[in-house]
Amino acid sequence: GTIALWYIGGAGYFIRAGETTIVVDPFLGPSNPPDWMRGVPPGFAPEEIADLGQLDAYLMTHEHLDHADPTALEIFKAPPEVPMYGPASAIAVAREIGIDEERLQTLDHGDQITIGDLTVTAVAVNDPTAIGCNGYVVQHGETTVLLSGDSHYFDGFAALGDNWAFDAVAVTVGVNPPGQTMYMGESDAGRIARDTRTRKLLLQHHDLWRAVAIDPARVGTLVSWYAPDAAFEAVVFGERLDVTHS
């Protein structure tokens, strides 16, 4: 089956497969000047939630405020009461916002849930700046997508490639200021494409913050060196991307 992804900025997506729709890491909050100025607007306005249709789940990869976003969580606190999933650190943010406890479910690494026509498995990734973090393997039939949040490279990507046949892997990239390693760089993105043996590498988060925005073409050059058989695509804000197993 086809997994359709609409990129809403950062590591955020609306994802639809069959009759099921989920949202991952929606970030609706403002810029935080002077250092953190948004390069793309929020994916949707609060008053547009009713136009989004049935939403079956809300997933968070980690607790950072552009992933477990208090603005988005406050908006989704109201009915319809969408269930929310994430690592304990992200669930704690939702709990502080006042989301009802029965809507909250912590996902540990290895936990698998069925959400309508989707199967979602929480897997270990590596975000050294987060208290806790999950990647999510999202499956619809044989189609398999890995959402890695803001993970940096780590040796475990090779094990993920051994355990799953990925049709697409989404990774966060950005420019690292001198003396700081906040995001994964170009060569490590290429290593992930190689190690996971994905058919396509998706670049996300590249345009969210102006100060650390990166030209995806720079990353594509390294991906082609490390994984010449992998396709490469920078997701485009607001556009739909279809992933199908073949």
Side-chain angles (χ1 to χ4, degrees):
T2 297
I3 297 178
L5 302 94
W6 285 265
Y7 180 51
I8 56 174
Y13 298 91
F14 278 103
I15 298 176
R16 185 165 179 83
E19 298 301 315
T20 302
T21 304
I22 66 174
V23 65
V24 180
D25 283 354
F27 174 44
L28 306 181
S31 298
N32 185 16
D35 296 328
W36 298 102
M37 299 298 297
R38 294 189 67 126
V40 295
F44 55 92
E47 60 270 20
E48 294 176 315
I49 287 181
D51 299 328
L52 300 176
Q54 174 68 31
L55 189 62
D56 298 292
Y58 183 125
L59 272 65
M60 297 169 281
T61 58
H62 61 290
E63 79 283 351
H64 289 170
L65 298 188
D66 53 344
H67 298 264
D69 172 28
T71 301
L73 289 166
E74 188 69 45
I75 291 167
F76 279 96
K77 184 164 66 174
E81 296 183 344
V82 180
M84 297 183 175
Y85 303 89
S89 59
I91 292 298
V93 177
R95 187 175 289 117
E96 290 174 4
I97 295 296
I99 306 296
D100 292 339
E101 195 67 31
E102 60 267 22
R103 295 173 58 189
L104 304 177
Q105 181 173 336
T106 298
L107 293 181
D108 297 321
H109 300 155
D111 287 350
Q112 186 176 90
I113 56 174
T114 299
I115 306 169
D117 297 311
L118 288 169
T119 300
V120 177
T121 305
V123 296
V125 290
N126 171 44
D127 185 347
T129 68
I131 297 170
C133 58
N134 286 345
Y136 295 113
V137 177
V138 180
Q139 294 179 286
H140 177 53
E142 291 187 293
T143 303
T144 305
V145 176
L146 172 62
L147 306 175
S148 65
D150 281 358
S151 182
H152 294 206
Y153 177 82
F154 76 125
D155 293 348
F157 277 109
L160 291 172
D162 290 338
N163 292 332
W164 311 87
F166 290 119
D167 298 292
V169 172
V171 299
T172 286
V173 290
V175 170
N176 287 304
Q180 300 181 63
T181 303
M182 296 186 294
Y183 294 107
M184 183 166 56
E186 301 92 327
S187 61
D188 280 347
R191 294 171 73 191
I192 289 176
R194 177 198 64 192
D195 290 4
T196 60
R197 302 190 294 280
T198 183
R199 292 176 54 243
K200 177 177 283 190
L201 191 74
L202 305 178
L203 296 188
Q204 63 192 18
H205 217 297
H206 56 88
D207 54 358
L208 178 60
W209 301 117
R210 294 180 186 175
V212 292
I214 192 169
D215 181 354
R218 287 174 44 175
V219 187
T221 299
L222 274 295
V223 172
S224 66
W225 291 353
Y226 278 96
D229 294 331
F232 158 80
E233 186 167 346
V235 290
V236 178
F237 180 76
E239 293 193 4
R240 171 175 173 163
L241 173 69
D242 287 348
V243 180
T244 303
H245 183 74
S246 61

